[in-house]
C-alpha cells in the first residue's frame, strides 16, 4: 500500500481534476470517484490512507458515506469538502469521525497542511494501536496473574492467566471487588487505606490462600498514580506457588523424619549399650544357677525382658532407616506381631488394645519397614483419635480368598484392619484424607496423619486402602495386600549352636565399664585369657609392647580418643594378620564394606549374646585361612599385597619368579595365585602355562603394567593361557580385594 494514497470523492469533474493535479505535485498517490457508490467500490478494492469527501453528493449524503466508511474502515482519515458553511453538517461530520473540513474554493496550502496533519495523526494512531497490541500480548503472555483495579478496588482488567485461574468460577470477572476474587470476601486491606490516603505508595508483598480454588498465591500490590500523583488504582501481580509450598512442606516433613531418624539412631546406640550388660549378666546367672531354682527363673525373666527390649530397639532402628528399601518375598505375620508390641508400649492406660492376628502362611512382596510403617501410622492415628476420652484399639490380620464378586479388587489377599472408637472423620476431611500434605493438625502439633504416604506405599505394593468412619463413633481402615505368587523354598531348621570354649588370648576395648566387665567375665568363663581396657589409647599401647601376645581384638566402634575403626587400622599397621571384631550399638554408624576391606573380620551388633559371641570367636580361630601365593620380582609390590591381604584374613606366600612360585605351589595347599607377567628367570606367561598344565584347576589372577608391551595384549594372552582374572598395574586395592573374594568366595 502506498503510505500516502488518497481517494478524491466529488461529483464535480473540474474539482476532481484540480485536486488530482495538486496532489500529484506533492507526490501523493491518488484515485478519484464521482459518487458515493463508486467511492465505496474503490475503497473495497484498494487501500487508502485518506479520503477527500464532498459533503454533498448526488446519490448519497457525504455524512452518510462517512458513516459507511468509518464503520468498515475506521483507520481512514476523512477530510470533508463543503461549498457552504453549514454548521449542522460540519458538526455532524466531526461527530461522525471526520478529521476536519475545508471550504470551496479550496486554498491548496491549507489543504496540504490538513492532509499532512491527517496522515501524521493516522501514523500516530497506528503506533498507539501497535503499542497497545504489543502491551496486550505481553499482558496476556505473562504466566503470573495480573489484575488492575480502580481506586475503589473494582477490577477493570485481568490477563489470560487470571481468567485461566478464576474463569471457571466466574462468568464475568471485571466489575468485581478484587478481594471477592482473590480472598473470597470483600475486605479492604490496611495497605489499601494507606495508599488511598497518600501516606505510602510502596509496593506491598504478601501471601494468601484461596481455599475455594485450592491455591496458594504470592501477591505484590503496587499503586497506580495519575498525572497529579494521586492514587488512582492498584496493580496486583499474583504467582501461584501452590506446588512450591507443597515441596516446602514435603522438605520440612523429610527434615523432621531425618531428625527423628538421627535421634532414633542415637537412642538405639545408647540403649543397646545398656542392654548388653543386662543380657550378659543374666546369661551368666543362668549358667551358674541350678535348673528349677526360683532365682534361675527370675534370671530367665530378666533375659526375656531384655530380649524384648532388644527387639523393640530393632523396630526403632527400622523406623530410622527411612531411605532403605529391601523388597523381599516374606510372611508379614512376624513384623505385624513385633509392631503391635511396639504400639502397646506407647498406648496410655485409658486405651485398650485387642488383636486378632491370624498367622497367615501366604507371602507378600514388600519391605518389612513398609509393613511396620503402615501399622504404626494407622495405630498412631487411632491413638490420637482416642487420647482425650480413651477407647479400644482393634487390630486384626486375616486372609481373604476369591471375593472378587463382592466388589473387592483383589482375589487372594491379606487384610489388615485397624479400628478405633474415637472422634471419627468428618465429610470434608474424608474427601482429602489421601491427598499429599493434607493434615488436620495445627502448626506445632505434629506432621499430620501421614495417610498419603501410606496410600502411596499400599498402591506401590499393588494393594488397596479404604476406610469407613462416622463422626463421634470412630473409624475403620482396611489395607488389602496381594498375596505373592513367588514360591519361597522352605529352609531346613538350623540346629541350636552350643557355646564354644577356647584358650586363646583376647584384648577387649570398650569405654562402657559394664560392657567391659561382662565381656571379660563371659570370655574368661569360656577359658580365654583376657586383657580389658576402657581407653582405646591404653589398649593400643599394650598391643605395641607385645603384638604377638594377643590372638584377637574385640573393640567397640564409638569411643573417645580414637574410634574402633581407627584403632583397628593402627593395630593392623603393627601386625597385619591380627583378627579384629568390631561391636556397635548401631550398625548404621559403620560402612560395612569399608571396614571389611580394611581387614576387620566381623561386625557384631550389640547386645551380643554369649552363644553368638563364642560362635564368632571360634569361627575366626578354627577356620583355616585361605592361602594366596604372590609371584612378583618387585619387593614393594609384594609387600603391599601381603599387608593388604593379611589384614583381610589370608595367609600369604611369596615368590620372586615363576620357577620359585611353581615350587611353592607344589608344596603348599595354595588357594589362589597372583602373578606378575614380566619377571626374570621365568616370566608370568611361562609360569601360567606350566602351572595350568600341571594343575588344571588352579586359580590365577594375572597382573601387569605392560613394560615394553601393551598391557592389554599381555593380559589377554594370560587369560588365553588359563588366568581366571586379569588386572592392570597400578592395582586398585578395593578392586583387587573384591576380585579375590569373588574367586575364593
Amino acid at each position: 500500500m502506498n503510505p500516502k494514497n488518497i481517494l478524491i470523492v466529488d461529483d464535480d469533474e473540474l474539482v476532481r481534476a484540480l485536486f488530482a493535479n495538486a496532489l500529484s505535485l506533492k507526490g501523493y498517490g491518488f484515485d478519484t470517484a464521482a459518487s458515493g457508490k463508486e467511492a465505496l467500490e474503490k475503497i473495497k478494492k484498494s487501500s487508502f490512507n485518506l479520503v477527500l469527501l464532498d459533503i454533498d453528493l448526488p446519490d448519497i449524503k457525504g455524512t452518510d458515506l462517512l458513516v459507511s466508511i468509518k464503520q468498515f474502515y475506521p483507520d481512514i482519515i476523512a477530510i470533508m469538502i463543503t461549498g457552504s458553511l453549514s454548521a449542522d453538517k460540519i458538526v455532524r461530520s466531526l461527530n461522525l469521525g471526520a478529521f476536519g473540513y475545508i471550504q470551496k474554493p479550496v486554498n491548496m496550502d491549507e489543504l496540504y497542511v490538513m492532509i499532512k496533519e491527517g496522515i501524521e495523526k493516522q501514523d500516530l494512531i497506528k503506533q498507539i494501536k501497535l503499542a497497545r497490541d504489543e502491551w496486550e500480548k505481553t499482558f496476556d503472555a505473562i504466566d503470573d496473574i495480573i489484575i488492575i483495579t480502580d481506586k475503589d478496588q473494582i477490577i477493570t482488567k485481568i490477563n489470560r492467566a487470571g481468567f485461566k485461574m478464576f474463569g471457571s468460577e466466574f462468568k464475568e470477572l471485571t466489575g468485581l471487588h478484587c478481594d471477592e476474587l482473590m480472598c473470597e470476601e470483600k475486605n479492604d486491606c490496611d495497605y489499601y487505606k494507606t495508599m488511598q490516603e497518600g501516606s505510602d505508595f510502596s509496593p506491598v508483598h504478601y501471601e494468601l490462600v484461596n481455599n475455594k480454588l485450592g491455591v496458594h498465591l504470592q501477591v505484590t500490590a503496587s499503586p497506580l498514580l495519575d498525572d497529579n500523583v494521586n492514587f488512582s488504582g492498584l496493580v496486583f501481580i499474583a504467582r501461584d506457588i501452590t506446588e512450591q509450598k507443597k515441596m516446602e512442606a514435603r522438605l520440612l516433613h523429610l527434615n523432621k523424619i531425618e531428625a527423628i531418624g538421627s535421634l532414633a539412631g542415637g537412642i538405639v546406640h545408647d540403649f543397646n549399650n545398656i542392654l548388653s550388660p543386662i543380657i550378659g549378666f543374666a546369661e551368666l546367672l543362668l549358667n551358674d544357677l541350678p535348673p528349677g531354682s526360683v532365682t534361675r527363673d527370675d534370671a530367665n525373666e530378666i533375659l526375656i525382658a531384655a530380649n524384648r527390649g532388644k527387639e523393640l530397639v530393632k523396630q526403632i532402628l527400622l523406623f530410622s532407616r527411612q531411605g532403605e528399601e529391601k523388597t523381599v518375598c516374606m510372611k508379614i505375620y512376624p513384623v505385624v506381631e513385633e509392631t503391635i508390641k511396639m504400639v502397646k508400649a506407647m498406648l496410655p492406660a485409658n486405651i485398650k488394645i485387642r488383636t486378632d492376628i491370624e498367622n497367615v502362611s501366604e507371602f507378600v512382596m514388600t519391605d518389612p519397614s513398609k509393613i511396620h510403617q503402615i501399622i504404626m501410622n494407622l495405630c498412631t492415628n487411632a491413638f490420637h483419635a482416642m487420647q482425650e476420652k480413651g477407647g479400644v484399639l482393634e487390630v486384626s490380620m486375616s486372609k481373604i480368598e476369591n471375593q472378587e464378586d463382592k466388589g473387592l479388587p483383589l482375589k487372594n489377599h491379606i487384610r489388615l484392619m485397624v479400628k478405633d472408637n474415637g472422634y471419627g472423620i468428618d465429610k470434608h476431611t474424608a474427601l482429602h484424607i489421601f491427598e499429599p500434605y493434607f493434615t488436620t493438625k495445627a502448626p506445632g502439633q505434629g506432621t499430620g496423619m501421614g495417610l498419603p504416604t501410606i496410600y502411596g506405599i499400599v498402591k506401590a505394593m499393588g494393594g488397596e486402602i479404604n476406610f469407613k468412619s462416622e463422626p463421634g463413633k470412630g473409624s475403620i481402615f482396611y489395607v488389602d495386600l496381594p498375596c505373592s505368587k513367588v514360591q519361597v523354598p522352605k529352609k531346613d531348621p538350623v540346629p541350636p549352636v552350643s557355646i564354644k570354649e577356647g584358650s586363646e588370648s583376647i584384648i577387649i576395648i570398650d569405654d562402657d565399664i559394664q560392657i567391659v566387665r561382662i565381656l571379660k567375665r563371659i570370655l574368661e568363663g569360656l577359658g580365654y585369657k583376657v586383657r580389658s581396657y576402657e581407653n582405646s589409647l591404653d589398649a593400643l599401647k599394650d598391643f605395641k609392647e607385645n603384638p604377638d601376645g594377643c590372638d584377637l581384638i574385640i573393640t567397640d566402634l564409638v569411643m573417645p580418643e580414637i574410634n574402633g575403626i581407627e584403632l583397628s587400622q593402627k593395630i593392623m599397621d603393627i601386625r597385619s594378620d591380627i583378627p579384629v571384631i568390631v561391636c556397635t550399638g548401631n550398625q548404621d554408624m559403620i560402612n560395612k564394606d569399608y571396614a571389611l576391606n580394611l581387614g576387620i573380620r566381623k561386625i557384631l551388633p550389640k547386645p551380643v549374646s554369649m552363644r553368638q559371641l563364642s560362635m564368632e570367636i571360634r569361627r575366626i580361630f578354627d577356620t583355616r585361612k585361605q592361602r594366596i601365593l604372590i609371584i612378583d620380582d618387585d619387593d614393594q609390590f609384594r609387600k603391599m599385597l601381603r599387608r593388604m591381604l593379611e589384614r583381610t584374613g589370608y595367609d600369604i606366600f611369596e615368590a620372586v619368579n615363576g620357577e620359585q612360585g611353581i615350587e611353592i605351589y607344589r608344596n603348599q595347599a595354595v588357594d589362589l595365585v597372583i602373578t606378575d607377567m614380566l619377571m626374570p628367570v621365568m616370566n608370568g606367561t611361562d609360569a601360567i602355562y606350566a602351572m595350568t598344565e600341571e594343575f588344571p584347576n588352579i586359580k590365577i589372577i594375572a597382573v601387569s603394567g605392560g613394560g615394553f608391551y601393551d598391557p592389554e595384549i599381555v593380559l589377554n594372552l594370560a587369560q588365553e593361557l588359563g588366568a581366571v582374572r586379569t588386572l592392570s598395574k597400578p592395582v586398585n586395592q578395593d578392586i583387587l580385594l573384591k576380585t579375590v573374594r569373588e574367586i575364593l568366595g
Side-chain angles (χ1 to χ4, degrees), residues 63-86:
T63 51
D64 292 341
L65 179 58
L66 176 62
V67 171
S68 297
I69 293 172
K70 284 294 182 179
Q71 182 179 357
F72 297 104
Y73 309 100
D75 294 336
I76 292 180
I77 299 296
I79 297 175
M80 307 305 291
I81 309 296
T82 178
S84 61
L85 284 174
S86 171

Side-chain angles (χ1 to χ4, degrees), residues 138-147 158-168 173 181 213 217 238-240:
T138 304
F139 186 67
D140 280 334
I142 295 172
D143 287 336
D144 294 338
I145 300 162
I146 304 177
I147 299 173
I158 184 168
N159 71 341
R160 185 178 287 112
F163 278 105
K164 185 177 178 181
M165 175 68 72
F166 303 110
S168 60
L173 302 182
L181 187 64
L213 296 175
L217 300 174
R239 176 167 293 177
D240 184 356

